Amino acid sequence: MNNLSYFFVLCLLATLSHAIELDFCVGDPRFRGEKTPNNVFGNNVTLAFSDVFPAFNGLGISMARLDFAVGGVIPVHSHRTSEVLILVKGSIIAGFIDTNNTAYYKRLEVGDVMVFPQAMLHFQINVGKTPATAFVSLNGANPALQLTPTALFAGNLPADIAQKITLVSQKEVMQMKRIFGTA
Amino acid sequence: MNNLSYFFVLCLLATLSHAIELDFCVGDPRFRGEKTPNNVFGNNVTLAFSDVFPAFNGLGISMARLDFAVGGVIPVHSHRTSEVLILVKGSIIAGFIDTNNTAYYKRLEVGDVMVFPQAMLHFQINVGKTPATAFVSLNGANPALQLTPTALFAGNLPADIAQKITLVSQKEVMQMKRIFGTA
Amino acid sequence: MNNLSYFFVLCLLATLSHAIELDFCVGDPRFRGEKTPNNVFGNNVTLAFSDVFPAFNGLGISMARLDFAVGGVIPVHSHRTSEVLILVKGSIIAGFIDTNNTAYYKRLEVGDVMVFPQAMLHFQINVGKTPATAFVSLNGANPALQLTPTALFAGNLPADIAQKITLVSQKEVMQMKRIFGTA
Amino acid sequence: MNNLSYFFVLCLLATLSHAIELDFCVGDPRFRGEKTPNNVFGNNVTLAFSDVFPAFNGLGISMARLDFAVGGVIPVHSHRTSEVLILVKGSIIAGFIDTNNTAYYKRLEVGDVMVFPQAMLHFQINVGKTPATAFVSLNGANPALQLTPTALFAGNLPADIAQKITLVSQKEVMQMKRIFGTA
Amino acid sequence: MNNLSYFFVLCLLATLSHAIELDFCVGDPRFRGEKTPNNVFGNNVTLAFSDVFPAFNGLGISMARLDFAVGGVIPVHSHRTSEVLILVKGSIIAGFIDTNNTAYYKRLEVGDVMVFPQAMLHFQINVGKTPATAFVSLNGANPALQLTPTALFAGNLPADIAQKITLVSQKEVMQMKRIFGTA
Amino acid sequence: MNNLSYFFVLCLLATLSHAIELDFCVGDPRFRGEKTPNNVFGNNVTLAFSDVFPAFNGLGISMARLDFAVGGVIPVHSHRTSEVLILVKGSIIAGFIDTNNTAYYKRLEVGDVMVFPQAMLHFQINVGKTPATAFVSLNGANPALQLTPTALFAGNLPADIAQKITLVSQKEVMQMKRIFGTA
């Protein structure tokens, strides 16, 4: 997740006179302002998961803001929760692939919504002529996001294993690892 | 829910050659365009729950768009799911009340997020000088939304029972029922 | 919840020689004897939730005893769990309101049972000529009970917000806050 | 479950104008009146599970009334849900056994409550000089109740298998099957 | 569970640079080699539950290896999870009993699979002429296994209560307690 | 899933005299005998999920048998459930990748067990000199298995989208699609 920017929150701890099991805090994750995509994918992902935003603890829900440069992409990824996306700026193609290897994808305009079933591979691509912004919500406080390309090529998985389990050629695996600085 | 506007979706039914248990559809709930508040509360709520948007069936998540006139309000309400809100236009006060009768509320600006714990009473008020728009997501496909004032005074609950269980005066109960046309 | 009486339990901590994950205790929440309603609602609610009765921790169930004076009422309330009620003394009207603002209510006699769906507003009123007693059980160890009138008018929610989100008149809001001593 | 008496309910089917996913019915399972124990165990168990009381469908909770003759017993049994018991007449010993073979049992008087963890063997014995009555609630609409003695000896399980898997002697197995009329 | 052999695991604690909520460990529960049945039942049960194998914590799954001497048996037992069994050596009869006291049992050969529904009593008997081995998996990290005969007769449950709640004769109860050394 | 062999089961439908909600069937998914790997990956996967083995319906558990040719591999894949693996023949490397792109992998010998957390990418490679066989169990009746390479390159996902969301070169994408016959 080294390509994702985190944010920090001030959590106003409530003084609950009889509090035993409940702890609430009023969140303010500052999705405010411009978010400039500055990584290899041309995206900027601002997470509001329970690890960075404690207000979500125990509530079974979380959120993220997705900003796309022109041509930017959220590469194929998955997580254990379902996801719903609302596009608020620009125009993107969003899609997912089901267990029969069938891809469902669609061009979205501002105001459009798309749902991604839990644990299915999915992706978003900015196909408009301007930057794009979307908000997504996930039905879990800590969705366990896994980006497929970085999981396979940007970490400590040896190149020979990566090649064997993906069928990608040795040359291409090394090219991928060079992209992510792990060659 | 007579004060809420529904939307309809075209659901592209996928042709799954080996489909046995899975049925997906690509949603397009058209949160597009302007939504004009035109009810007594000064709001316009566009729901994308599983009853009107079948793509959510079985996925444990849903969404709604909230539009506020100047001074508009989403009256106090609750549902069995948690909710997260992102404000995309205007300025509102959002809040909830916990089981110790303590209210947590905060003025939100564009880009701010707030979380509402499941089943707790909560509300939103447009306190800015312009219309406001927010998107909310809920961690359930059919959240079972219940607006407190309409539940108590806009349905078939007899006035004498309403009075007895709310401690509100008889005169005020009748005034409320007049507002909702059930006096 | 300042209008509810708590009880305390002696929890016999078991000496489990190999205990690693399990801790049981044999509960004795003393629902015994007479319970005298002495609050503004004419009720006496004795809770056996996990915060006061640790034996319920992790078991997904809890209980309460409801005692009603003649004319007493459990005001409209909700919680995130479902509830089942058995009447053991007297005669009451019990009911709930669904998401279409439809109220379902019924006069119960001794031995009658009623079910209240999770998170739906519900209530009980003693309509007999004697005190009444009921036991309720809830499918959660900590149901997060919220009484609607006290949530809105007996806590720290400002009067102007309460008025705005309920449509109740300013005069009536102040009258309610006087009832609960928060004006 | 041939030793349990069922009851039938009239379910007032609500006419919901916009009903799509919700169906409620107001239950009246008639736990009213006297229940005479008339089986080999000296008990009378009146169930309000979802199979006989449809109002419980989807609500995750159910109930039963237990009546004991003097000396009557609910033999050792288990179910996949947790259970809470409230004694309303007489005096009983109730208990359960945990995964370390440790038994927790206690004499209960009127008003006492006891909790039984899900899937653990448990039992109740009337040890008073009068009939006894208790109500139990379970956190599941269909708890899948299994009485150990009848499961092993009152059904179609062959005697030689029963003997092998219980270590009970052949003679005793046959005696048990004679009690249940399956020898 | 005094008749079950435990195993210990070396858990390679991962050094996660940004770990906040996740802790994985790579398990090696050593189901390797021969397992010699040496108890009264003629079995050897090697558990990989979360209490002895921390890698299962939070993952909702666990495993066990069952070894049977010739004529060996896993006595009737239950747990709060479902179970699936695969036979890899020998020939056994496996079965379960449902809530109508109907037993379902079947002779299994190497490669056969059987499913046992959650909380239902079930058993396995080696009916072949050689030792047998099976692996089972359970959909919970800590299934709360309860062997019926040892729960009733090998712990601290008094003989008179055991007799009363099982209908087994006093003489047989004492014989059972002698088998387990608790007479 | 076109590279997976299915099996069929005879399901002995029980005649339950009072059956209302329960339907059991005794499974026999015939994991018996040799399974010859004959696909591009050098594996043979025999599934016992609820879609092909109805006995698993509603029980929250399923199973699969994995057979590996020498050098065979189960390519990187994921599913919404957790998985536990027991190796019964040969020697394999099994591993998974977590949300920090850290790979955990280990050489397993006969009798070794490994756990794969829900929704995380994982894989198995036969690194021994003989064929290998493992059994896996999953804590869901229909785990929604998704093989990453076939999801991306063996279905209807257009090559240009595949390239964009994986960062794999155009040439390599076409090579992959040729492997799967979708170029």
Side-chain angles (χ1 to χ4, degrees):
Chain A
M1 241 182 306
N2 53 339
N3 63 315
L4 300 176
S5 63
Y6 282 14
F7 67 91
F8 297 92
V9 294
L10 279 183
C11 181
L12 309 177
L13 289 173
T15 53
L16 302 176
S17 54
H18 297 88
I20 296 181
E21 300 198 353
L22 296 172
D23 59 307
F24 294 133
C25 65
V26 176
D28 179 7
R30 295 186 191 280
F31 282 171
R32 298 181 186 179
E34 292 295 309
K35 306 286 181 183
T36 309
N38 55 7
N39 60 16
V40 63
F41 301 116
N43 73 38
N44 188 325
V45 177
T46 310
L47 299 179
F49 292 177
S50 61
D51 49 355
V52 292
F53 185 25
F56 284 117
N57 262 331
L59 298 188
I61 201 164
S62 57
M63 213 176 192
R65 171 176 167 171
L66 314 179
D67 287 275
F68 303 80
V70 175
V73 62
I74 309 287
V76 64
H77 60 287
S78 64
H79 33 67
R80 62 186 166 214
T81 63
S82 294
E83 173 182 326
V84 62
L85 176 149
I86 169 84
L87 188 67
V88 297
K89 189 167 77 175
S91 177
I92 67 173
I93 284 180
F96 67 89
I97 306 166
D98 78 359
T99 56
N100 292 297
N101 303 332
T102 303
Y104 300 79
Y105 53 98
K106 193 173 172 63
R107 182 167 179 152
L108 306 180
E109 306 298 335
V110 169
D112 286 350
V113 169
M114 192 169 190
V115 192
F116 308 95
Q118 62 165 168
M120 295 289 101
L121 290 168
H122 58 291
F123 55 86
Q124 293 91 13
I125 307 169
N126 185 357
V127 293
K129 295 178 178 170
T130 64
T133 300
F135 292 100
V136 298
S137 181
L138 306 106
N139 62 348
N142 184 20
L145 170 65
Q146 194 168 43
L147 297 170
T148 310
T150 55
L152 291 170
F153 304 116
N156 68 323
L157 189 71
D160 58 342
I161 291 186
Q163 181 189 345
K164 186 79 179 173
I165 65 175
T166 61
L167 303 196
V168 169
S169 70
Q170 184 186 16
K171 184 182 164 194
E172 186 76 14
V173 167
M174 292 317 294
Q175 172 58 20
M176 294 294 286
K177 290 184 82 69
R178 274 190 293 274
I179 294 176
F180 294 112
T182 60
Chain B
M1 243 181 305
N2 53 340
N3 61 316
L4 301 175
S5 63
Y6 282 14
F7 65 91
F8 296 92
V9 295
L10 279 183
C11 181
L12 309 177
L13 288 173
T15 53
L16 301 176
S17 53
H18 298 89
I20 295 180
E21 299 199 354
L22 297 172
D23 59 306
F24 293 133
C25 65
V26 177
D28 179 8
R30 295 186 193 280
F31 281 171
R32 297 181 187 179
E34 294 295 310
K35 307 286 181 182
T36 309
N38 56 6
N39 61 15
V40 64
F41 302 116
N43 73 39
N44 188 325
V45 177
T46 310
L47 298 179
F49 292 177
S50 63
D51 49 354
V52 291
F53 185 25
F56 284 118
N57 261 331
L59 299 188
I61 201 163
S62 58
M63 214 174 189
R65 171 178 167 169
L66 314 179
D67 287 275
F68 303 79
V70 175
V73 63
I74 310 286
V76 64
H77 60 288
S78 64
H79 32 68
R80 63 186 166 213
T81 64
S82 295
E83 173 182 327
V84 61
L85 176 148
I86 169 84
L87 187 67
V88 296
K89 191 169 76 176
S91 177
I92 67 172
I93 283 180
F96 66 90
I97 306 165
D98 78 359
T99 56
N100 292 296
N101 302 333
T102 303
Y104 300 79
Y105 53 95
K106 195 174 171 62
R107 182 167 180 152
L108 306 179
E109 306 297 335
V110 169
D112 287 349
V113 168
M114 193 168 190
V115 192
F116 308 94
Q118 62 165 167
M120 295 289 102
L121 290 169
H122 58 292
F123 55 86
Q124 292 92 13
I125 307 170
N126 185 357
V127 292
K129 296 178 177 170
T130 64
T133 301
F135 292 100
V136 298
S137 181
L138 306 107
N139 62 349
N142 185 19
L145 171 65
Q146 194 167 43
L147 296 170
T148 310
T150 54
L152 290 170
F153 304 116
N156 69 321
L157 189 71
D160 57 344
I161 291 186
Q163 182 190 345
K164 185 81 178 171
I165 65 176
T166 61
L167 304 196
V168 168
S169 69
Q170 184 185 14
K171 184 181 164 193
E172 186 77 14
V173 167
M174 293 316 293
Q175 172 59 18
M176 294 294 286
K177 290 184 82 68
R178 273 191 293 273
I179 293 176
F180 295 112
T182 60
Chain C
M1 240 180 307
N2 53 340
N3 62 315
L4 300 175
S5 63
Y6 281 13
F7 65 90
F8 296 91
V9 294
L10 279 183
C11 180
L12 308 178
L13 289 173
T15 53
L16 301 177
S17 54
H18 298 87
I20 295 181
E21 300 199 353
L22 297 172
D23 59 307
F24 293 133
C25 65
V26 177
D28 179 8
R30 293 186 194 281
F31 282 171
R32 299 182 186 177
E34 292 295 309
K35 306 285 182 184
T36 308
N38 55 6
N39 60 16
V40 63
F41 302 116
N43 74 39
N44 188 326
V45 176
T46 311
L47 298 179
F49 292 178
S50 62
D51 49 355
V52 292
F53 185 25
F56 284 118
N57 261 332
L59 299 188
I61 201 164
S62 57
M63 212 174 191
R65 170 175 168 171
L66 315 179
D67 287 275
F68 302 80
V70 175
V73 62
I74 310 286
V76 63
H77 59 288
S78 65
H79 32 68
R80 62 186 167 215
T81 64
S82 294
E83 173 181 327
V84 62
L85 175 150
I86 170 83
L87 187 67
V88 297
K89 190 167 76 176
S91 176
I92 67 173
I93 283 180
F96 66 90
I97 306 166
D98 77 0
T99 57
N100 293 297
N101 303 332
T102 303
Y104 301 79
Y105 52 96
K106 195 173 171 63
R107 181 167 181 153
L108 305 180
E109 306 298 335
V110 169
D112 286 349
V113 168
M114 192 169 191
V115 192
F116 308 95
Q118 62 165 167
M120 294 290 102
L121 290 168
H122 58 292
F123 56 86
Q124 293 91 14
I125 307 169
N126 185 357
V127 291
K129 296 178 177 170
T130 64
T133 301
F135 292 100
V136 298
S137 180
L138 306 107
N139 62 348
N142 184 21
L145 171 65
Q146 194 168 42
L147 296 170
T148 309
T150 55
L152 291 170
F153 305 115
N156 69 321
L157 189 71
D160 58 342
I161 292 186
Q163 181 189 345
K164 186 80 178 170
I165 65 175
T166 62
L167 304 196
V168 169
S169 69
Q170 184 185 15
K171 184 180 164 194
E172 186 76 14
V173 167
M174 293 317 293
Q175 171 59 20
M176 293 295 286
K177 289 184 84 66
R178 273 191 293 273
I179 293 176
F180 293 111
T182 61
Chain D
M1 243 182 303
N2 52 340
N3 62 314
L4 301 175
S5 63
Y6 282 14
F7 66 91
F8 296 91
V9 295
L10 279 183
C11 181
L12 308 177
L13 289 173
T15 54
L16 303 175
S17 54
H18 298 89
I20 295 181
E21 299 198 354
L22 297 172
D23 58 308
F24 294 133
C25 64
V26 177
D28 180 7
R30 294 188 192 281
F31 282 171
R32 298 181 188 179
E34 293 294 310
K35 305 287 182 182
T36 309
N38 55 6
N39 61 17
V40 63
F41 302 115
N43 73 39
N44 188 324
V45 177
T46 310
L47 299 179
F49 292 178
S50 62
D51 50 354
V52 292
F53 185 24
F56 284 117
N57 261 331
L59 298 188
I61 202 164
S62 57
M63 213 175 190
R65 171 176 167 170
L66 314 179
D67 286 276
F68 303 79
V70 175
V73 62
I74 309 286
V76 64
H77 59 289
S78 64
H79 32 68
R80 63 187 166 213
T81 63
S82 295
E83 173 181 326
V84 62
L85 176 148
I86 170 83
L87 187 67
V88 297
K89 189 168 77 174
S91 177
I92 67 172
I93 283 180
F96 66 90
I97 306 166
D98 77 0
T99 57
N100 293 296
N101 303 332
T102 303
Y104 300 79
Y105 52 96
K106 195 173 171 62
R107 180 166 181 153
L108 305 180
E109 306 298 335
V110 169
D112 288 348
V113 168
M114 192 168 191
V115 192
F116 308 95
Q118 64 165 166
M120 295 289 101
L121 290 168
H122 57 292
F123 56 86
Q124 293 92 13
I125 307 170
N126 185 357
V127 292
K129 295 179 177 169
T130 64
T133 300
F135 292 99
V136 297
S137 180
L138 306 106
N139 63 348
N142 184 19
L145 171 65
Q146 194 168 42
L147 296 170
T148 309
T150 54
L152 291 169
F153 304 115
N156 68 322
L157 189 71
D160 58 344
I161 291 186
Q163 181 189 345
K164 186 79 178 173
I165 64 176
T166 61
L167 304 196
V168 168
S169 70
Q170 184 184 15
K171 185 180 164 194
E172 185 77 14
V173 168
M174 293 316 294
Q175 172 58 19
M176 293 295 285
K177 290 184 83 66
R178 273 191 293 274
I179 293 176
F180 294 112
T182 61
Chain E
M1 242 184 305
N2 52 341
N3 62 316
L4 300 176
S5 63
Y6 282 13
F7 65 90
F8 295 91
V9 294
L10 279 183
C11 181
L12 309 178
L13 288 173
T15 53
L16 302 176
S17 54
H18 298 88
I20 294 180
E21 298 199 354
L22 297 172
D23 59 307
F24 293 133
C25 65
V26 177
D28 180 7
R30 294 187 193 282
F31 281 171
R32 298 182 187 178
E34 294 295 310
K35 306 286 182 182
T36 309
N38 55 7
N39 60 16
V40 63
F41 302 116
N43 73 39
N44 188 325
V45 177
T46 311
L47 298 179
F49 291 177
S50 62
D51 48 355
V52 291
F53 185 25
F56 284 117
N57 261 332
L59 298 188
I61 200 164
S62 57
M63 214 175 190
R65 172 177 166 169
L66 315 179
D67 287 274
F68 303 80
V70 175
V73 62
I74 309 286
V76 64
H77 60 288
S78 64
H79 32 68
R80 62 185 166 214
T81 64
S82 295
E83 173 182 326
V84 62
L85 175 149
I86 169 84
L87 187 66
V88 297
K89 190 168 78 175
S91 178
I92 67 172
I93 283 179
F96 66 89
I97 306 166
D98 78 359
T99 56
N100 292 297
N101 303 333
T102 303
Y104 300 79
Y105 52 96
K106 194 174 170 63
R107 181 167 182 153
L108 306 180
E109 306 298 334
V110 169
D112 286 349
V113 168
M114 192 168 191
V115 192
F116 308 95
Q118 62 165 167
M120 294 290 101
L121 290 168
H122 58 292
F123 55 86
Q124 293 91 14
I125 307 169
N126 184 358
V127 292
K129 295 177 177 170
T130 64
T133 301
F135 292 101
V136 298
S137 181
L138 306 107
N139 63 348
N142 184 21
L145 171 65
Q146 195 169 42
L147 297 170
T148 310
T150 55
L152 291 170
F153 303 116
N156 68 322
L157 189 71
D160 58 343
I161 291 186
Q163 182 189 345
K164 186 80 179 172
I165 66 176
T166 62
L167 304 196
V168 169
S169 69
Q170 184 186 14
K171 184 182 164 194
E172 186 76 13
V173 167
M174 293 316 293
Q175 172 58 20
M176 293 294 287
K177 290 185 82 68
R178 274 191 294 274
I179 293 176
F180 294 111
T182 60
Chain F
M1 242 181 308
N2 54 340
N3 62 316
L4 302 175
S5 62
Y6 282 14
F7 66 90
F8 297 91
V9 295
L10 279 182
C11 181
L12 309 177
L13 289 173
T15 53
L16 302 175
S17 53
H18 297 89
I20 295 180
E21 299 198 354
L22 297 171
D23 59 307
F24 294 133
C25 64
V26 177
D28 179 8
R30 294 188 191 281
F31 282 170
R32 298 181 187 179
E34 294 294 310
K35 306 287 182 182
T36 308
N38 56 5
N39 61 16
V40 64
F41 302 116
N43 73 39
N44 189 325
V45 177
T46 310
L47 299 179
F49 292 177
S50 62
D51 49 353
V52 292
F53 185 24
F56 284 117
N57 261 331
L59 298 188
I61 202 164
S62 58
M63 213 175 191
R65 170 177 168 170
L66 314 179
D67 287 275
F68 303 79
V70 175
V73 63
I74 309 287
V76 64
H77 60 288
S78 64
H79 32 68
R80 64 186 165 213
T81 63
S82 294
E83 173 182 326
V84 62
L85 175 149
I86 169 85
L87 187 67
V88 297
K89 189 167 78 174
S91 177
I92 67 172
I93 283 180
F96 66 90
I97 306 166
D98 77 0
T99 56
N100 292 296
N101 303 332
T102 303
Y104 300 78
Y105 53 96
K106 195 174 170 62
R107 182 166 179 152
L108 306 180
E109 307 297 334
V110 169
D112 286 350
V113 168
M114 193 169 190
V115 192
F116 308 95
Q118 64 165 167
M120 295 289 101
L121 290 169
H122 57 292
F123 56 86
Q124 293 91 14
I125 308 169
N126 185 358
V127 293
K129 296 179 177 169
T130 64
T133 300
F135 292 100
V136 298
S137 181
L138 307 107
N139 63 347
N142 184 21
L145 171 65
Q146 194 167 42
L147 297 170
T148 310
T150 54
L152 291 170
F153 304 116
N156 68 322
L157 189 71
D160 58 344
I161 291 186
Q163 182 189 345
K164 186 79 179 172
I165 65 175
T166 63
L167 303 196
V168 169
S169 69
Q170 183 186 18
K171 185 181 164 193
E172 186 76 14
V173 167
M174 292 317 294
Q175 172 58 19
M176 293 294 286
K177 290 185 81 69
R178 274 191 294 273
I179 292 176
F180 294 112
T182 60

